[in-house]
Amino acid sequence: MARLAVERRLQDWALPELLDDVRLVTTELVSNAARLGAVFELTISRPGERTVLVEVRDYGDGEPVLRDADPDEEGGRGLFIVQAFATDWGWRAKSDGKTIWARCGG
């Protein structure tokens, strides 16, 4: 559902050149939030003419951490993928969870 929302939004904004990166970044952020087993909120906005901001708010504790996954581990690479495909990313703590954000485009 998140990928479909991204596709529709970027079509509406006529930004097909950002679709692959935004879709991949969204998939990673949403997957991380869903793995916590908690409810999450996805926001897709356009802070600039050629820039898309993806924000995923969840109710999990703790700081998101880039970690070195072992080669035979199934997971653990999500934030490395986000870092590779987004122009910038970060997070902010909330009293009841956190929001992880990623900016794509320029």
Side-chain angles (χ1 to χ4, degrees):
M1 300 268 306
R3 285 190 295 255
L4 183 58
V6 164
E7 289 171 17
R8 287 183 177 166
R9 187 65 53 92
L10 268 66
Q11 284 174 353
D12 290 345
W13 291 337
L15 294 172
E17 70 278 8
L18 295 179
L19 180 57
D20 290 339
D21 290 353
V22 175
R23 185 174 27 211
L24 182 59
V25 165
T26 301
T27 298
E28 292 303 327
L29 294 180
V30 166
S31 295
N32 287 344
R35 192 176 49 240
L36 293 173
V39 175
F40 62 88
E41 178 182 322
L42 168 65
T43 304
I44 306 161
S45 60
R46 187 176 176 189
E49 187 67 29
R50 315 265 350 130
T51 305
V52 173
L53 180 65
V54 177
E55 297 176 286
V56 176
R57 181 172 188 260
D58 66 48
Y59 298 93
D61 297 2
E63 178 178 342
V65 177
L66 283 168
R67 66 182 194 90
D68 290 325
D70 289 331
D72 49 341
E73 275 187 271
E74 188 174 313
R77 295 169 189 82
L79 289 178
F80 278 109
I81 292 170
V82 170
Q83 183 174 0
F85 286 87
T87 51
D88 195 16
W89 75 276
W91 73 286
R92 57 188 176 274
K94 302 281 189 180
S95 60
D96 60 348
K98 65 184 169 298
T99 298
I100 303 176
W101 58 266
R103 186 177 302 113
C104 295

